[in-house]
Amino acid sequence: RRHGAAMRSNIVLTAIMACAATMLAHAAPATESRTAIFAGGCFWCMESAYQEHKGVTGVVSGFTGGTLKNPTYAGNHEGHFEAVAVTYDPAQVSYQELLELFWRNVDPFDDTGQFCDKGSSYRSAIFATNAAERELAEQSKVAVAARFSGRKVHTEIRAAGAFWHRQAENALINYLWSEAALPEGGRLVIDRVSGPMVDEAMAWSGD
């Protein structure tokens, strides 16, 4: 009788293990990372806004939106926007959330630049990498315009194109963000001049 019970127990255990193996074999593959591109004036300020946000795995500054090849910060970047490429895990943070963070860190009513940084390269823009992103970006822009009726939103929404990383000057960027450049290993915090989006403390999920 004990032998029969042991056999039944082994059969059940084997069935459970087989079921678990089948579930693992059909488990959903790991979520692939995605990249969103935003221009919001000084790219160091935009890096700071996204760098430690949950689900963001990397932020790289660079230039986009122009036709000039190999633009540089110290040299010629005519026609380009200063921008950041934000790599993120869509399982942890949505594109919609990244858009909300974008609007809270720009002045969409300024067509001459952003905050204390003026010039065409400092204008704000969203660079959509696909139709779904563009639709969400357009919807978010409409929401901003509705919230601030009577004011023109100058932030552009464009199709993403070539993104030129700041390669030659990365040593400077890495130094600025390193502990060696900060007192007692502190964290660099860039605080912008308060703008309308900051003043309103916008909460897109509901006030």
Side-chain angles (χ1 to χ4, degrees):
R1 185 175 298 175
R2 287 197 298 270
H3 179 69
M7 286 185 64
R8 286 194 296 273
S9 178
N10 288 337
I11 292 172
V12 171
L13 180 59
T14 300
I16 292 173
M17 293 178 66
C19 181
T22 301
M23 292 175 65
L24 288 173
H26 291 85
T31 306
E32 292 186 4
S33 62
R34 297 176 184 171
T35 300
I37 302 175
F38 303 106
C42 171
F43 31 46
W44 288 337
C45 295
M46 293 303 285
E47 281 186 10
S48 177
Y50 284 101
Q51 209 165 36
E52 295 185 8
H53 194 77
K54 180 182 178 180
V56 172
T57 57
V59 185
V60 177
S61 60
F63 296 96
T64 193
T67 58
L68 178 70
K69 294 184 178 180
N70 301 310
T72 62
Y73 183 77
N76 187 6
H77 52 268
E78 183 178 359
H80 283 284
F81 291 75
E82 288 196 14
V84 291
V86 181
T87 303
Y88 66 101
D89 180 354
Q92 297 187 55
V93 61
S94 67
Y95 184 71
Q96 179 68 41
E97 290 177 85
L98 298 181
L99 283 173
E100 292 166 4
L101 189 57
F102 168 81
W103 290 114
R104 289 197 294 268
N105 282 275
V106 300
D107 180 353
F109 313 116
D110 190 348
D111 64 347
T112 64
Q114 287 292 290
F115 304 98
C116 58
D117 297 308
K118 301 302 179 183
S120 60
S121 64
Y122 294 116
R123 291 171 296 143
S124 62
I126 299 168
F127 293 88
T129 63
N130 55 49
E133 285 188 0
R134 189 176 191 98
E135 182 177 358
L136 288 172
E138 294 283 5
Q139 290 174 358
S140 68
K141 183 175 178 177
V142 169
V144 172
R147 189 176 186 116
F148 296 91
S149 59
R151 304 190 67 180
K152 183 177 180 179
V153 177
H154 290 284
T155 301
E156 295 183 47
I157 298 176
R158 297 187 175 193
F163 184 92
W164 300 90
H165 292 220
R166 289 186 61 193
Q167 297 174 343
E169 298 155 307
N170 272 349
L172 171 62
I173 295 173
N174 291 338
Y175 174 73
L176 285 171
W177 284 106
S178 71
E179 292 186 354
L182 306 176
E184 299 181 359
R187 177 175 174 271
L188 176 64
V189 177
I190 299 176
D191 186 16
R192 294 180 125 168
V193 176
S194 179
M197 312 308 281
V198 178
D199 292 340
E200 286 287 323
M202 301 187 72
W204 296 98
S205 58
D207 294 353

